[in-house]
Each structure stands twice: as C-alpha cells, then as structure tokens.
C-alpha cells in the first residue's frame, strides 16, 4: 500500500463508509453508482457546512448524517441487527481544539446518533450516555424518537439470519468474512474527519455494530481513542473489527506515534493499520485521518473501504477498492 499520491488540502473533509466492501465481481454498476452517490453527497454536505461558516464539528456531523440516513451503510438507517433482531447504534464525536468529546451507545430510536453524541458533548456534563438514559437525554434535547421501522432493512435482516447460523464462528464485521447471496449486506460503519478554515480538526464515527452481535455488545465506535480521536495534531475515524481497535486504542495510537516518535500522519497510520492491527488480525480494518497541515490519509488492510475526500475546490473524490493513500 505505498506509492499512491499523497493528498493535501487547505480545509475539507474525508469520510469512510466501512471496510466491509463487496468484491468488484459482486458489485453491480447500479449499486456501485448508488454507493458513490451517497459518498459524494456526504462529502458535499460536509463541504457546504464549511462553506456556510461552520466549523469542523459541523462538517463531520453533516457528512455522517448523510451516511446514517442512507440505507446502504451500517449506521442509522440500514444498521445491522443484534442477536435479538433489534437495532442498537453507537456513535461518537471529538473536537481537536479543546479535546471535548461526546458518545452514545446502544441507542435504538434516534435517527442520527451522531447528532445525539454531539449534544452529549455540548449540552451535558458527561462524555458518554448509553441505552435508555441516552434516549431520555435525546428527548430532553428535542430529538424526536423515530419508529424502529425507519432503521430496518430486509438485507440486514437476512444478514442477521446468516450471522446467527454462523454462531460460534467469527462475527461478521468484515466484507470478506464469507460469501453471501445478498451482495448489499456487507457495507459498514461510517465516519468523517474535517479540517476547518481556522485549523480546527474534528472526527465522528457511527455504527450499527456487528451483525448478530450479542445483546449489549459495544464496539470501538463510541470509544474515544479506539474508534474516534481528534486533537490539535490529527483527527481519526476507524472502521473494522471493533474489539481489536479497543485493545490497541487504535485511533489514539496514530496520535501517540506522531507525538512520541515524530512520525508523519502517513507513517503513523501505516504503522497502526499494517503493523499493529494487521499483525493481530489480518484484513481487519481501516481509517480515515487528517492532520493539522491538511494531509489526508485513507488507509485500510482490507480489499476495499468505501471512502472519499473533498478539499477547498469542492470536488468530491470517492473510491471503493484499490489502494488507499498510505
Ligand atoms: N467497528 C465497528 C464495530 O466493531 C464495525 C465496523 O467498523 O464495521 O462495531
């Protein structure tokens, strides 16, 4: 994964829609166009938040909301079911300038979990709220409960049935876990990082978690330092097998390598994805990252990652397979 052109922007947004991509042979042209359209719309939403004077937090929320509202990705609408056949979602957000952060886990009736995570960050004295408490807080914030029917999709239900059949085997978080007759069931977690005109970075990540996950399971997505990280130095949003991202404190590992070893963003993300993560579990994840100088990294050790970036010229760049930028 080297040799791809480095990307550098003055301000902008980078996103992912998960590492669980379909193989090119199983992707229809229509479906590919639909994924690419959603990724481009997400980038445009993030970009227009910045153009309208919004900051990096506004940009990542705008970008993630588009992906949460799409049925194609495992976040918000289109989320995976747990073993009971219930959709429970996790999300987090972090602002680099002051290190403030918010997170929610195990929420069922909130249309945009990333918005709730932001409210936790900005309007509560806590960092993380879970389950019914998080939903009660959502109501105090005027976030109307959404009928569970909004989130559910047939293909996710089919994926649950397959996951339950495989019970005892590897949980289905990754796209290459095994062949399936339903090619649309493999899309993943979503996330965004942004750099605004004032130089502030932010990161946000949102997921329905693993298909057929045990009731109560929480992955890396809402864990600050595991699935999401932002500082004055870098912003990181991860996707992949969450248990390993938590063990490695993977999002923060990027920061630590830069701060402690003087590594560039590119060197740091390669080290954590290809040395630390891939050695523990090959082909298990990826991330998008930005540094304060505007370097963009889209790095994964899987066959693909739904991804994209947009800079100051407003032109969205989206991709699914091939090499990332590291
Ligand atoms: N990281 C997510 C989790 O473990 C899943 C994913 O990225 O697809 O819940």
């Amino acid at each position: 994964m080297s040799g791809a052109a480095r990307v550098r922007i003055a301000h902008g947004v980078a996103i992912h829609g998960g590492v669980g991509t379909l193989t090119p042979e199983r992707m229809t042209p229509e479906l590919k166009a639909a994924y690419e359209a959603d990724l481009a719309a997400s980038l445009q939403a993030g970009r227009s938040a910045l153009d309208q004077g919004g900051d990096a937090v506004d940009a990542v929320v705008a970008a993630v909301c588009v992906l949460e509202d799409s049925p194609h990705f495992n976040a918000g609408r289109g989320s995976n079911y747990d073993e009971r056949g219930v959709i429970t979602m996790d999300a987090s957000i972090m602002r680099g300038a002051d290190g403030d952060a918010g997170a929610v886990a195990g929420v069922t009736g909130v249309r945009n979990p990333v918005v709730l995570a932001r409210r936790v960050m900005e309007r509560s004295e806590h960092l993380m709220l879970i389950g019914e408490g998080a939903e009660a807080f959502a109501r105090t914030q005027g976030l109307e409960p959404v009928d569970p029917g909004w989130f559910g999709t047939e293909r996710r239900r089919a994926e649950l049935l397959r996951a339950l059949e495989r019970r005892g085997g590897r949980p289905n978080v990754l796209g290459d876990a095994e062949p399936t007759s339903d090619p649309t069931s493999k899309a993943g977690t979503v996330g965004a990082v942004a750099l605004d005109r004032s130089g502030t970075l932010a990161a946000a990540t949102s997921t329905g978690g693993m298909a057929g996950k045990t009731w109560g399971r929480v992955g890396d997505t809402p864990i600050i330092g595991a699935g999401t990280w932002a500082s004055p130095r870098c912003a990181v949003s991860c996707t992949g097998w969450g248990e390993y991202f938590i063990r490695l404190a993977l999002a923060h590992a990027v920061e630590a390598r830069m701060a402690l070893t003087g590594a560039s963003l590119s060197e740091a993300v390669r080290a954590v994805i290809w040395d630390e993560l891939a050695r523990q579990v090959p082909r298990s994840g990826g991330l998008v990252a930005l540094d304060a100088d505007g370097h963009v990294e889209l790095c994964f050790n899987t066959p693909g990652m739904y991804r994209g970036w947009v800079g100051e010229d407003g032109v969205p760049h989206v991709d699914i397979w091939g090499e990332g930028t590291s």
Side-chain angles (χ1 to χ4, degrees):
M1 299 290 287
S2 62
R6 296 264 99 75
V7 175
R8 188 171 178 188
I9 58 177
H11 40 81
V13 182
I15 58 167
H16 68 79
V19 285
T21 56
L22 301 171
T23 58
E25 305 74 53
R26 290 171 40 240
M27 178 75 87
T28 64
E30 296 75 24
L31 200 50
K32 181 167 182 279
Y35 279 116
E36 289 173 345
D38 283 345
L39 292 169
S42 166
L43 290 167
Q44 269 147 2
R47 183 68 249 170
S48 76
L50 293 177
D51 289 343
Q52 286 160 23
D55 64 11
V57 167
D58 295 316
V60 293
V61 169
V64 168
C65 280
V66 169
L67 299 175
E68 286 180 335
D69 284 348
S70 163
H72 294 122
F73 302 94
N74 172 25
R77 189 172 173 220
S79 283
N80 279 327
Y81 292 93
D82 72 10
E83 63 182 355
R84 303 165 300 162
V86 175
I87 286 174
T88 63
M89 299 167 288
D90 310 327
S92 65
I93 188 164
M94 190 168 193
R95 178 169 48 228
D98 58 4
D100 207 357
V104 293
V107 297
T108 58
V110 177
R111 174 169 169 169
N112 294 112
V114 71
V115 171
L116 184 56
R118 181 182 190 169
R119 296 292 175 91
V120 174
M121 173 172 81
E122 293 179 341
R123 301 192 192 172
S124 85
E125 53 189 27
H126 305 296
L127 191 150
M128 180 185 283
L129 296 177
I130 65 167
E132 286 179 27
E135 309 215 11
F137 176 72
R139 290 193 289 278
T140 70
Q141 295 300 306
L143 303 182
E144 288 301 317
V146 181
D147 186 278
W150 161 258
F151 301 102
T153 52
E154 271 313 307
R155 70 178 195 276
R156 297 296 185 203
R157 186 157 285 283
E159 182 59 23
L160 167 66
L161 297 178
R162 282 191 292 274
L164 294 179
E165 276 169 23
R166 290 194 301 273
R167 206 65 200 235
R170 175 179 153 174
N172 182 41
V173 63
L174 298 175
D176 60 349
E178 68 170 34
T180 170
S181 57
D182 176 7
T184 62
S185 64
K186 298 296 191 181
T189 291
V190 308
V193 291
L195 174 65
D196 64 29
R197 285 179 173 78
S198 74
T200 289
L201 291 155
T205 316
S206 181
T207 191
M210 292 173 166
K213 64 189 177 185
T214 299
W215 180 15
R217 181 263 185 188
V218 176
D220 61 310
T221 299
I223 309 292
I224 296 301
T228 302
W229 179 257
S231 72
R233 183 178 284 110
C234 63
V236 183
S237 171
C238 300
T239 169
W241 196 340
E243 279 71 5
Y244 289 92
F245 282 71
I246 297 171
R247 288 185 195 185
L248 294 167
L250 196 134
H252 184 266
V254 174
E255 163 91 21
R257 280 184 178 269
M258 293 177 76
L260 301 176
T261 73
S264 67
L265 182 72
S266 169
E267 290 164 344
V269 302
R270 289 182 67 179
V272 300
I273 294 297
W274 285 100
D275 297 343
E276 297 186 37
L277 180 65
R279 267 189 208 137
Q280 291 218 6
V281 215
R283 297 154 75 85
S284 49
L287 56 77
V288 293
L290 265 169
D291 69 15
D293 294 327
H295 293 107
V296 180
E297 295 295 335
L298 315 156
C299 184
F300 48 96
N301 64 35
T302 47
M305 178 170 78
Y306 298 109
R307 62 194 187 275
W309 61 273
V310 64
E312 52 280 12
D313 65 3
V315 179
H317 303 263
V318 303
D319 219 336
I320 301 176
W321 305 287
E323 294 192 355
T325 59
S326 287

